[in-house]
Amino acid sequence: MEITAYQPCIDAEFESLIERIYPPRVCIDNETYQDCTLVKVDSANKQGILLEMVQVLTDLDLVISKSYISSDGGWFMEVFHVTDQLGSKLTDESLILYIQQALCENRRRGVSKELQTCLHREVRPPYTSTDHTAMEITGTDRPGLLSEISAVLSKLECHVTAAVVWTHNNRVASIIYMEDGFQGGPITDPKRIAHVQEQLENVVEAHHGVGERRSVRLTAPAPGQKTHTGRRLHQLMYANMDHEPCQGCNGGGLAHRNNCTQIHVSIESCKEKGYSVVNVRSRDRPKLLFDTLCALTDMQYVVFHAAVSSKGTMADQEYFIRQQDGCTLDTESERHKLTQCLIAAIERRASHVCIVFLTFRYYPTGRSKEVELNKINK
């Protein structure tokens, strides 16, 4: 007998009411294990909550060595085994308080400024900005593309404050934050935004052949809008179809997979429970869990149970998932596409993937600028 899950339509205000009545409970446990801190979270369930929780820990540069998740029904439970970058337990009381407040309150009010001050640093995703105009560019990776874009922005008096670029499978995605060189602050004039976008579209189009996918988009900051740059770059690369050339390792057998350092993805059906079971084995690295969950969430899959662990240099991830409509992955084309997208999401930040960070600082006197360019081949 085939099991079909029923997905009720829940009003957003009612969902918010449930969250207010049953706010997340966060427990930080430093007693159970000698080599890691346990972060335990119980919360009313909602779409995307798992990614939100992992995003908080990832933005703190914490290492998640193991994780167990269960979210059947209306309740969500998860346990994270975490350490800092040096492999030590979390003992800083201000950091522990920050994690508790961020996991409980981040979706509604955000973390208080007082707690940010106690932590002695501002915690937010790299290059995320709500005070500058954001420009998103996707297309085919070409030599000289960023150089020409920078020249056009300089000519148009658009001062770049920060930028991040991802390249993968000959595709490129870039988010550039900038301000108005005439008046300072974000560019808010619709006519000026349209003019800048038109000029940049001409540059990007000149680098592309007929039929090649490309896009240029400028957006002014909206009140209360927060953009996580890492998550947005995943979305841009996914829309740019960078997953199409990805193929998993074709080697067979468990022994081969244990000795192979390539990415392995297998998708099976658990018909008695109505799940699709996704297993991913790859090299372990920082932000691996976050990148994998970005792919699943952006493809509209819901994670009901999961177990993630790392041993040595390798990491194993197992997810019990359904589509948002309650269906499992029944066709080979669905499984193949998910396999491609998971491999792409992991590869974008690993091995041969090149990540470029640019920081431009402008000074009032003579408008000289300091440019920092770090090209990282991990």
Side-chain angles (χ1 to χ4, degrees):
M1 181 179 68
E2 183 178 353
I3 299 176
T4 302
Y6 171 66
Q7 295 287 331
C9 179
I10 301 177
D11 183 84
E13 292 186 3
F14 179 71
E15 185 178 6
S16 176
L17 175 63
I18 294 178
E19 190 174 343
R20 292 195 298 271
I21 296 175
Y22 303 105
R25 296 195 300 266
V26 181
C27 173
I28 309 295
D29 177 5
N30 267 321
E31 304 297 329
T32 303
Y33 293 98
Q34 294 183 347
D35 58 346
C36 69
T37 299
L38 292 185
V39 179
K40 306 174 185 178
V41 183
D42 294 333
S43 171
N45 195 15
K46 59 175 269 189
Q47 170 64 7
I49 187 174
L50 174 58
L51 180 56
E52 291 179 3
M53 300 291 182
V54 172
Q55 180 178 300
V56 168
L57 299 177
T58 300
D59 291 342
L60 287 166
D61 293 325
L62 300 179
V63 177
I64 302 174
S65 58
K66 291 183 181 180
S67 181
Y68 306 97
I69 297 107
S70 179
S71 63
D72 259 346
W75 201 251
F76 174 86
M77 295 176 289
E78 59 186 359
V79 178
F80 299 104
H81 295 230
V82 302
T83 63
D84 61 19
Q85 290 288 320
L86 300 177
S88 302
K89 298 168 67 171
L90 311 183
T91 56
D92 187 336
E93 291 297 331
S94 61
L95 176 61
I96 292 174
L97 182 59
Y98 180 94
I99 293 172
Q100 291 174 323
Q101 184 173 332
L103 292 177
C104 290
E105 306 294 337
N106 194 46
R107 295 186 302 279
R108 295 196 297 273
R109 295 188 300 272
V111 179
S112 67
K113 293 182 179 180
E114 292 78 8
L115 191 55
Q116 287 271 11
T117 303
C118 293
L119 200 56
H120 304 298
R121 66 185 175 105
E122 184 179 8
V123 179
R124 66 178 190 178
Y127 301 125
T128 295
S129 176
T130 56
D131 301 321
H132 301 89
T133 301
M135 176 178 66
E136 299 175 350
I137 298 176
T138 62
T140 303
D141 189 19
R142 307 280 193 190
L145 177 60
L146 285 178
S147 176
E148 293 188 17
I149 289 173
S150 300
V152 170
L153 290 176
S154 178
K155 185 177 180 180
L156 295 172
E157 293 290 340
C158 297
H159 290 178
V160 176
T161 58
V164 59
V165 181
W166 282 8
T167 62
H168 180 239
N169 281 337
N170 294 321
R171 270 78 161 187
V172 62
S174 173
I175 300 179
I176 300 175
Y177 296 105
M178 54 192 181
E179 61 184 11
D180 194 330
F182 296 112
Q183 302 177 357
I187 303 172
T188 56
D189 183 1
K191 292 184 179 179
R192 179 154 162 72
I193 289 178
H195 176 65
V196 173
Q197 180 164 319
E198 180 183 6
Q199 297 300 310
L200 292 172
E201 285 174 347
N202 292 336
V203 174
V204 174
E205 185 175 357
H207 279 266
H208 284 66
V210 178
E212 289 184 333
R213 188 183 299 269
R214 60 188 180 275
S215 69
V216 177
R217 178 172 174 261
L218 264 72
T219 57
Q225 180 180 351
K226 294 183 179 181
T227 301
H228 189 284
T229 304
R231 172 77 187 282
R232 185 58 185 150
L233 283 167
H234 275 298
Q235 293 173 337
L236 292 174
M237 293 298 279
Y238 173 68
N240 202 18
M241 309 295 285
D242 80 311
H243 57 274
E244 286 188 336
C246 288
Q247 299 292 336
C249 179
N250 294 322
L254 179 61
H256 176 82
R257 292 198 299 272
N258 288 337
N259 295 324
C260 181
T261 57
Q262 296 188 43
I263 301 171
H264 295 263
V265 178
S266 65
I267 302 175
E268 300 174 350
S269 176
C270 181
K271 293 184 177 180
E272 62 273 17
K273 298 293 185 180
Y275 296 123
S276 292
V277 184
V278 180
N279 283 279
V280 182
R281 182 173 176 81
S282 66
R283 279 189 176 276
D284 190 24
R285 60 167 177 78
K287 302 184 180 181
L288 176 63
L289 178 57
F290 172 78
D291 293 336
T292 307
L293 289 174
C294 280
L296 291 171
T297 303
D298 291 338
M299 295 184 72
Q300 308 300 310
Y301 289 107
V302 180
V303 177
F304 289 87
H305 304 280
V308 178
S309 64
S310 60
K311 185 177 182 180
T313 61
M314 302 301 293
D316 292 289
Q317 304 177 70
E318 183 178 51
Y319 299 95
F320 291 76
I321 67 170
R322 297 187 189 123
Q323 298 176 5
Q324 280 193 355
D325 59 5
C327 297
T328 56
L329 288 82
D330 297 324
T331 66
E332 183 61 31
S333 61
E334 290 176 324
R335 291 190 287 269
H336 179 65
K337 182 177 180 181
L338 178 56
T339 298
Q340 287 181 309
C341 291
L342 288 172
I343 293 172
I346 294 172
E347 284 185 343
R348 286 171 196 147
R349 215 191 291 259
S351 65
H352 58 275
V353 178
C354 172
I355 305 174
V356 181
F357 296 92
L358 302 98
T359 302
F360 298 81
R361 295 190 179 93
Y362 290 84
Y363 300 92
T365 305
R367 278 192 176 175
S368 61
K369 65 179 180 180
E370 174 188 347
V371 181
E372 297 177 357
L373 174 60
N374 299 313
K375 189 173 182 180
I376 304 173
N377 290 297
K378 295 185 177 179

